Amino acid sequence: MTSDSVIEIPGIDQRRKRRQSLLIEGGVVTLIALLLIIVFPLVLSDFRLSLLGRFLALAIAALAIDLIWGYTGLLSLGHGIFFALGGYALAMHLTLAPLEGDSLPEFMSLYGVDKLPWFWQPFDSFGFAVFAVIIVPAVVGGLFGYLVFRNRIRGVYFSILTQAATIVFFNFFNGQQKLFNGTNGLTNYQTLLGADVNATRTQFIFYTITILLLVVSYALCRWLTQGRFGYLLVAIRDDENRVRFSGYNPTGFKVLVFAISAGLAGIAGAMFTLQTGIVSPKAMDIAFSIEMVIWVAVGGRATLVGAILGALVVNFAKSILSENFAESWLFFQGGLFLLVVTVLPSGIVGWWRYSGYPVLLSLFGKRKEVITYPSLEEDPEVQREREEISH
Amino acid sequence: MLAGLLDSLYGGISIGAVLLIAALGLAIVFGLMGVINLAHGELMMLGAYTTFVVQNWFKSLGEPWFETYILFAIPIAFLVTALVGLILERGVIRFLYGRPLETLLATWGVSLILQQFVRSVNWVMVIGIALFCLLFFGALWVISRRADRERIRSWAIPIMVVLSLGIAFTIGKVLSETFELALTKPWFGTQGVDVTAPTWMRGGWLVELPEGSFQLSYVRLFIIGLTILCITGIYLFLQRSAWGLRIRAVTQNRSMSACLGIPTGKVDALTFAIGSGLAGVAGCAISLLGSVSPNTGQDYIVNTFMVVVVGGVGKLVGSIVAALAIGTMNYLIGSGILALLFQPIEPLFDLFTFFATTSMAKVMVFALIIIFLQIRPGGIFPQKGRSYEL
């Protein structure tokens, strides 16, 4: 107890500092969100704006990856599954919404299904669909995570298993013509809650909601990665065995964080589906799932901001490059993987923090002090000693 | 019924044989370096395309030569992919040891590049790449002979990359504009290509059974034979040769081997080259089974990974059993023969009919693998040791 109080309790000063920096961060986030909602629609063309909306939805998925890869060290190559599950959950409601009475979606009658399958029925209600967007991926992720983590399967093994799971889900959704319209996926949505889905106004509302969701997800991830839970995640990433020897059982935490991450990816998928107007098994492509990882890697792992930044930068680069040189995008993408891993391992944000910003400071004649151990530097004893030495 | 069952078994074993050659390479590399190579599937694809090129070459030589092309294609595919693997190891993976997840991403990048390379490779591109290598590595060589190399290295390399890229790109551009289609036509294109088996390999050996007959196709027999040859070769190499001994030593304890004077860097490079070469041989085998396209690698790769996961690391036997089991299971479930077997039992019949397509079979096999890993998380034959790690 006593030793605890010596180390743990930060001074009131420090606490105030922390609150201040949190307030500043909140202010910046609100400012950016307002900028995105109010200013960007005036500046950008409709096409670019809709792209931005989609990429912001993808940024939520990137946050999900950052949470499990950056902080917990679980490299999931299968987040496309959860993304697609979220998309499908909402798309099923969108498909059912304009239908009256007992009529079936068009593709089902085409394949000779005479009764709505049981798992389609609850999706008639919007509330359930929204619930399912988060819960279905989270449950699938949690279950898969439990089965894998329970046996201490980790590292590369875990990555391979998630990759295989992607193939499996892809095959399943691709093969079930009767249940999910196979390769074509669910598309041609008309209305959502009575509003025309394709109207510019509705699309703008979706764009706004995406931004709000992104802010909420960011806040959630921020909250999760701070404090005890966040430290535990980082500890699991850095040395899982030591965490186990310290008396924690990492399995539960890993399952929990994987489920949360899967739920976030589900939200991303749903918003993406709303804005693109289609969900198909293509979202469960292995390539897409690994792309998500590269967004995070480019932005900077374990930084959250980096994940969002990376998703936006890479996707805009992709859309510009593939407009101009359709064929060479794969070369660029492959090169990006190699570059990020070998030359820029901590991504854009990491590079800025450790090289860019200090260099900038030194250009303006300011030298940043080298702080090896922040808590030690702030220790009054150490400060007094330092003053004595300098005198 | 029995004929159908045996037929599926035979098909499954031959698919398992291909998986086995591919997984063998993956498994020894993984066991040695802890590196999973996501570009392994693309190396298989390169092997398949090499077979295609060799076949075309022999076709132009005339009929009697064409019959023997496969015997040359196998070693050539091995050498080509081994060389690519060696470049990959020396150029990329060497810098990423101890960071398995990053290696995974880097090799995925390589696989994307290889896929697109095969799609769009043409003479201009080859000339450009050759020029770049000549300029860049030439300049590197010049630098390495200067006395102040340490000092100028850091700023000279980026400049040289840009310069050589620029020169190579410009010359390529000029060439493509002066010669037009003759040079810019892609060699393979995005469409799949077909490899025809030599005449002696067509057809099969008819087996008569009391209630029907089935055919053991010669192509598949050849593949099974090839697999046996590869396994024996690898076994002898690992157990009887000096380098095999070194590889085994490094697999068991890297730092101790290094202390005893084993050049671990060389061992890594050699192993990676051999593993890649085996992928090439596997590619040669799959080119006989069907059409080859730039996506070919992706179709096999996940099953190959599953073989490594199920088989356990560092055990040849584990890989063999796992590959055969997964190949056969896929085939048995996918061809619907299991559904027929369980016809009397209604719910099982329904279950297996639901999964009786090639893609749905993968779903079921994956579920089975996950269940299996609940019982034996370390694979069939987990490595014994005193480590607390899994």
Side-chain angles (χ1 to χ4, degrees):
Chain A
M1 192 66 207
T2 45
S3 67
D4 222 350
S5 62
V6 170
I7 303 168
E8 269 281 303
I9 295 180
I12 293 176
D13 197 41
Q14 214 174 349
R15 208 179 277 175
R16 192 188 297 147
K17 236 187 216 166
R18 217 174 125 185
R19 192 171 299 157
Q20 238 171 17
S21 70
L22 260 183
L23 271 179
I24 292 175
E25 193 180 339
V28 170
V29 168
T30 326
L31 203 73
I32 293 177
L34 285 178
L35 195 76
L36 283 174
I37 296 175
I38 298 170
V39 181
F40 271 57
L42 299 174
V43 184
L44 292 178
S45 65
D46 276 359
F47 172 66
R48 295 276 169 214
L49 192 72
S50 81
L51 275 187
L52 181 64
R54 290 170 197 186
F55 298 161
L56 286 170
L58 295 179
I60 302 179
L63 274 180
I65 296 271
D66 200 14
L67 193 63
I68 52 159
W69 185 40
Y71 285 95
T72 326
L74 308 166
L75 178 58
S76 160
L77 302 182
H79 254 50
I81 299 171
F82 310 125
F83 186 88
L85 282 178
Y88 268 100
L90 201 61
M92 279 159 85
H93 173 69
L94 285 163
T95 315
L96 290 181
L99 299 176
E100 288 152 18
D102 277 345
S103 56
L104 290 171
E106 200 177 334
F107 72 88
M108 278 195 195
S109 15
L110 224 75
Y111 288 111
V113 180
D114 45 7
K115 202 170 149 286
L116 201 61
W118 58 269
F119 60 87
W120 271 77
Q121 281 164 10
F123 283 94
D124 210 12
S125 100
F126 177 68
F128 181 82
V130 170
F131 175 72
V133 160
I134 304 173
I135 292 304
V136 169
V139 167
V140 171
L143 201 70
F144 179 75
Y146 175 71
L147 289 177
V148 174
F149 299 137
R150 199 177 70 106
N151 293 310
R152 305 188 189 180
I153 290 170
R154 58 163 168 258
V156 187
Y157 274 98
F158 173 73
S159 301
I160 302 173
L161 279 178
T162 50
Q163 196 195 21
T166 319
I167 286 266
V168 162
F169 271 84
F170 176 82
N171 279 330
F172 186 77
F173 276 76
N174 212 14
Q176 294 306 316
Q177 299 283 357
K178 288 178 183 172
L179 304 180
F180 300 108
N181 201 17
T183 327
N184 303 321
L186 303 175
T187 180
N188 275 336
Y189 317 129
Q190 308 296 331
T191 55
L192 179 67
L193 294 175
D196 180 9
V197 178
N198 301 313
T200 326
R201 229 186 95 73
T202 334
Q203 283 294 330
F204 182 69
I205 294 174
F206 293 152
Y207 169 75
T208 316
I209 295 175
T210 308
I211 292 170
L212 295 181
L213 282 174
L214 181 60
V215 170
V216 171
S217 320
Y218 177 74
L220 175 77
C221 292
R222 206 47 231 282
W223 178 67
L224 280 177
T225 51
Q226 264 180 352
R228 242 160 218 262
F229 189 74
Y231 288 140
L232 205 62
L233 294 187
V234 174
I236 289 173
R237 175 189 73 187
D238 291 344
D239 195 338
E240 191 178 334
N241 285 312
R242 198 172 285 189
V243 174
R244 186 171 278 120
F245 297 152
S246 312
Y248 289 96
N249 185 1
T251 311
F253 293 100
K254 283 162 93 176
V255 171
L256 179 66
V257 85
F258 197 63
I260 293 173
S261 167
L264 279 179
I267 296 175
M271 291 322 290
F272 192 74
T273 305
L274 270 181
Q275 297 184 58
T276 46
I278 182 170
V279 61
S280 70
K282 260 201 132 134
M284 294 182 211
D285 220 2
I286 295 181
F288 180 60
S289 297
I290 301 187
E291 248 184 271
M292 289 187 193
V293 174
I294 207 65
W295 305 334
V296 178
V298 166
R301 258 186 296 161
T303 54
L304 295 183
V305 190
I308 299 175
L309 194 71
L312 294 180
V313 167
V314 175
N315 278 302
F316 268 109
K318 179 180 180 176
S319 82
I320 290 169
L321 277 175
S322 47
E323 274 164 35
N324 295 327
F325 329 86
E327 286 206 346
S328 37
W329 167 243
L330 269 187
F331 281 127
F332 280 108
Q333 199 184 9
L336 201 62
F337 273 86
L338 288 180
L339 198 75
V340 160
V341 167
T342 49
V343 184
L344 208 65
S346 41
I348 299 173
V349 172
W351 172 83
W352 172 250
R353 261 184 211 165
Y354 301 118
S355 317
Y357 187 59
V359 165
L360 199 75
L361 276 184
S362 70
L363 276 184
F364 284 104
K366 273 190 185 175
R367 275 206 11 233
K368 208 172 174 230
E369 258 183 81
V370 181
I371 296 179
T372 42
Y373 222 86
S375 59
L376 209 68
E377 300 284 320
E378 279 157 14
D379 196 325
E381 286 271 305
V382 176
Q383 280 173 3
R384 202 175 56 230
E385 259 172 43
R386 185 170 288 166
E387 273 166 26
E388 276 165 14
I389 293 170
S390 64
H391 280 155
Chain B
M1 183 71 198
L2 184 65
L5 184 67
L6 285 179
D7 193 31
S8 305
L9 262 180
Y10 178 62
I13 288 174
S14 61
I15 290 289
V18 175
L19 286 181
L20 183 52
I21 311 180
L24 213 58
L26 207 59
I28 53 173
V29 168
F30 184 58
L32 181 80
M33 313 192 229
V35 160
I36 277 284
N37 179 11
L38 281 189
H40 204 76
E42 274 59 43
L43 291 172
M44 284 168 77
M45 171 199 73
L46 279 188
Y49 272 97
T50 313
T51 315
F52 175 70
V53 171
V54 172
Q55 174 213 249
N56 281 355
W57 186 40
F58 273 72
K59 224 175 219 165
S60 64
L61 286 182
E63 192 53 40
W65 280 99
F66 178 69
E67 296 298 315
T68 57
Y69 83 86
I70 196 78
L71 302 179
F72 293 92
I74 292 169
I76 293 176
F78 181 88
L79 287 179
V80 168
T81 47
L83 189 68
V84 174
L86 193 68
I87 294 171
L88 180 60
E89 203 272 344
R90 289 285 93 182
V92 180
I93 293 172
R94 177 161 67 112
F95 304 109
L96 298 171
Y97 282 137
R99 291 158 62 194
L101 297 182
E102 272 90 342
T103 320
L104 210 68
L105 287 183
T107 49
W108 174 257
V110 172
S111 91
L112 289 182
I113 292 175
L114 284 180
Q115 271 181 43
Q116 188 58 39
F117 179 77
V118 167
R119 280 195 199 111
S120 54
V121 60
N122 52 34
W123 278 112
V124 173
M125 202 167 160
V126 171
I127 292 170
I129 292 172
L131 257 178
F132 171 78
C133 290
L134 202 72
L135 288 170
F136 181 68
F137 291 107
L140 267 192
W141 181 75
V142 171
I143 286 185
S144 70
R145 293 178 56 93
R146 287 177 60 110
D148 53 350
R149 55 176 173 265
E150 294 299 328
R151 200 167 52 78
I152 57 172
R153 221 181 133 83
S154 61
W155 56 264
I157 285 182
I159 292 177
M160 252 137 47
V161 170
V162 174
L163 260 184
S164 340
L165 261 182
I167 294 173
F169 193 77
T170 331
I171 292 183
K173 193 95 180 161
V174 170
L175 276 179
S176 66
E177 266 158 25
T178 38
F179 291 93
E180 293 290 323
L181 261 183
L183 284 178
T184 50
K185 193 169 160 284
W187 290 358
F188 308 114
T190 42
Q191 287 294 315
V193 295
D194 278 306
V195 172
T196 34
T199 37
W200 53 270
M201 225 189 258
R202 289 171 209 160
W205 179 31
L206 210 64
V207 179
E208 295 287 347
L209 283 172
E211 32 177 336
S213 61
F214 75 102
Q215 210 179 27
L216 294 176
S217 76
Y218 290 135
V219 170
R220 286 172 186 252
L221 269 185
F222 178 78
I223 290 172
I224 294 172
L226 184 64
T227 308
I228 295 172
L229 197 73
C230 281
I231 294 174
T232 341
I234 284 295
Y235 179 81
L236 288 180
F237 173 73
L238 285 178
Q239 301 292 331
R240 297 285 149 81
S241 74
W243 278 103
L245 182 69
R246 287 177 196 141
I247 289 174
R248 280 185 294 140
V250 177
T251 308
Q252 283 192 2
N253 193 333
R254 173 173 291 267
S255 38
M256 186 56 81
S257 320
C259 290
L260 293 173
I262 293 175
T264 53
K266 263 185 205 162
V267 168
D268 286 338
L270 178 76
T271 316
F272 205 87
I274 290 175
S276 308
L278 284 174
V281 176
C284 206
I286 56 176
S287 71
L288 292 172
L289 288 177
S291 168
V292 180
S293 78
N295 304 328
T296 299
Q298 300 288 320
D299 302 340
Y300 285 86
I301 192 66
V302 169
N303 271 333
T304 317
F305 287 144
M306 288 301 109
V307 170
V308 177
V309 170
V310 172
V313 180
K315 284 273 164 50
L316 225 53
V317 197
S319 299
I320 295 172
V321 175
L324 293 182
I326 289 177
T328 323
M329 288 299 283
N330 257 324
Y331 222 87
L332 281 183
I333 298 170
S335 64
I337 197 79
L338 269 187
L340 286 179
L341 271 185
F342 287 106
Q343 207 154 23
I345 316 166
E346 186 77 22
L348 273 180
F349 175 69
D350 287 344
L351 180 76
F352 282 116
T353 345
F354 184 70
F355 286 105
T357 60
T358 326
S359 58
M360 290 304 283
K362 279 187 183 154
V363 178
M364 192 163 188
V365 169
F366 181 71
L368 290 176
I369 288 173
I370 292 285
I371 295 171
F372 170 78
L373 286 178
Q374 302 304 308
I375 308 162
R376 295 196 74 105
I380 304 176
F381 301 106
Q383 213 162 25
K384 287 199 189 77
R386 273 182 287 178
S387 127
Y388 53 83
E389 299 262 356
L390 187 82

